[in-house]
Amino acid sequence: MVRFYPTFFKIVFSGMDAERAHAIGFAAIKACRQSGVSKVLRVLTAPDKSLRTEALGRVFPSPFGLAAGFDKGATGINALTDLGFGHVEVGTVTGQPQSGNPKPRLHRLVRDHAVINRMGFNNDGADQIGPRLASAHADLWHDYKERTRPIVGVNIGKTKVVPVEEAIEDYVHSTRTLAPQADYLAVNVSSPNTPGLRDLQHIDALRPLLGAVVREAELAARRHVPVLVKIAPDLSDAEVAAIADLAVELELDGIIATNTTIRREGLGLQSSPADIEECGAGGLSGEPLRKRSLEVLSAVRARVGADMTIISVGGVTSAGDVEERLQCGANLVQGYTAFLYEGPFWAARINRGLKKMRRLRR
């Protein structure tokens, strides 16, 4: 089945609109759970006990998880964890429902194993997604009674129609609504697809925003909810250092490095300039992001020291990529784009590879 998927993708999905292909593929994953197939999948794909990882005050079944963007509405958390992901980060969720940017807004560059998106935080809003998270958590506790359950993170961002000057209250509303159901919160100030959002990475704007989210998360959940900030790969080294210093100052629980990039370095080696131009504006993810993502990871770890959690994401495809990130200082690793190309058993294959590498090192 694993070797069959690239051929299946080429025949069925490669010529299809990327967003439609995503919807069909996600529906098939959720159908497996609804049909009861997931009970078998959980046995076949469950990460080995040797992969359990402590981070953010929790125990993750595996250091490898699914990044935000795949399950924007928290409609398939349990189905995705059945595939072997150690954690699933849902969202990005905004304070108000929004339809996102006009279609087409998701484009594949298959030969580069890359994606360009300008989705624009399309989601149902915090008030609708909160109850779904609560239901998913209840199901996870039931399904994983005797085992370490997968962790559910929630990525929050700014509603497009909300002015940047009112962004704090918008994030606070999402925090108030979602923190009680979240294992951790990721504050997204780095997507390139919401006008003005990346301006919130400036220290003077970021300090009060993160402080407000941390305070509201504690009040709303009546427990400690880890808060992380997700940063862009397009920041200068000085800006990365400044945000890392701020995270230490505010005693944040972690940093997620990195989001998608507006740059196009690394493309054109496989995809033609015409293909790239046809995709238009948006955030680039996938293998071309690998080098810069690693650079930011190393820079952040050097700046924050050993105690803060770092989640590395960007250009992750194989078990070797995951292990490389862990060796470079990441506590946890996420992927997304390669999921589209590698198929539903991608996470299980990575977990098997990690287990094998660790066994060989003994």
Side-chain angles (χ1 to χ4, degrees):
M1 177 66 75
V2 172
R3 293 183 178 180
F4 168 76
Y5 187 79
T7 301
F8 176 82
F9 173 87
K10 184 176 181 179
I11 294 172
V12 178
F13 286 143
S14 63
M16 189 184 297
D17 172 76
E19 190 169 349
R20 181 166 178 259
H22 172 86
I24 292 172
F26 195 12
I29 290 170
K30 289 185 279 191
C32 287
R33 182 172 181 84
Q34 294 162 357
S35 67
V37 174
S38 59
K39 292 181 180 179
V40 178
L41 284 177
R42 282 199 298 274
V43 175
L44 297 176
T45 65
D48 188 77
K49 291 180 180 180
S50 65
L51 299 183
R52 289 179 181 172
T53 302
E54 293 187 19
L56 301 174
R58 284 140 177 80
V59 178
F60 291 69
S62 163
F64 182 62
L66 182 61
F70 192 92
D71 188 359
K72 293 176 177 293
T75 60
I77 294 170
N78 306 89
L80 291 165
T81 59
D82 290 338
L83 299 178
F85 290 103
H87 69 279
V88 171
E89 188 174 306
V90 302
T92 296
V93 183
T94 53
Q96 301 175 32
Q98 57 185 31
S99 58
N101 292 323
K103 299 179 182 180
R105 54 194 180 181
L106 183 65
H107 303 273
R108 294 179 299 250
L109 291 166
V110 178
R111 286 178 288 180
D112 280 299
H113 270 216
V115 165
I116 292 175
N117 93 83
R118 49 179 173 274
M119 301 298 290
F121 292 167
N122 53 307
N123 75 105
D124 296 327
D127 292 338
Q128 291 192 50
I129 291 174
R132 294 178 198 160
L133 285 166
S135 177
H137 259 302
D139 287 345
L140 282 176
W141 280 112
H142 177 268
D143 291 343
Y144 292 85
K145 283 182 279 191
E146 305 300 326
R147 287 184 286 159
T148 303
R149 70 169 179 85
I151 301 299
V152 180
V154 184
N155 186 298
I156 58 173
K158 186 185 79 68
T159 306
K160 184 176 181 178
V161 298
V162 171
V164 172
E165 297 78 19
E166 300 173 17
I168 290 178
E169 182 51 42
D170 191 51
Y171 279 91
V172 165
H173 173 75
S174 294
T175 302
R176 184 182 304 124
T177 307
L178 302 172
Q181 291 82 37
D183 288 314
Y184 71 84
L185 286 175
V187 181
N188 188 347
V189 289
S190 50
S191 169
N193 300 317
T194 295
L197 184 75
R198 286 192 168 192
D199 292 341
L200 295 174
Q201 292 179 114
H202 298 157
I203 296 301
D204 290 344
L206 191 57
R207 179 180 282 107
L209 170 61
L210 292 176
V213 169
V214 169
R215 289 190 296 272
E216 188 61 36
E218 299 280 345
L219 289 171
R222 298 184 180 181
R223 59 178 170 85
H224 179 65
V225 180
V227 174
L228 302 87
V229 61
K230 187 168 186 176
I231 62 175
D234 305 317
L235 295 170
S236 69
D237 292 346
E239 289 170 327
V240 170
I243 293 177
D245 290 346
L246 178 63
V248 172
E249 173 194 326
L250 296 177
E251 299 183 340
L252 285 193
D253 297 274
I255 295 174
I256 303 177
T258 60
N259 212 317
T260 59
T261 178
I262 58 174
R263 299 172 182 166
R264 297 296 183 257
E265 283 86 349
L267 286 175
L269 300 176
Q270 300 295 330
S271 302
S272 70
D275 290 337
I276 298 168
E277 184 177 354
E278 185 178 353
C279 292
L284 170 69
S285 62
E287 289 187 7
L289 187 53
R290 178 178 178 275
K291 181 176 181 290
R292 181 55 182 165
S293 179
L294 274 166
E295 291 172 350
V296 176
L297 164 62
S298 297
V300 170
R301 177 54 74 201
R303 200 77 182 186
V304 301
D307 294 334
M308 183 175 292
T309 294
I310 301 177
I311 303 179
S312 181
V313 56
V316 173
T317 299
S318 67
D321 293 333
V322 175
E323 186 62 23
E324 180 182 32
R325 303 302 171 97
L326 297 173
Q327 294 299 319
C328 288
N331 303 91
L332 301 166
V333 181
Q334 294 178 342
Y336 170 15
T337 301
F339 193 18
L340 309 180
Y341 296 115
E342 298 293 321
F345 298 106
W346 178 49
R349 188 162 65 252
I350 283 181
N351 287 330
R352 288 196 300 270
L354 290 173
K355 177 186 174 183
K356 182 177 179 180
M357 283 186 280
R358 294 181 181 192
R359 188 174 64 243
L360 291 173
R361 285 204 304 268
R362 290 176 186 169

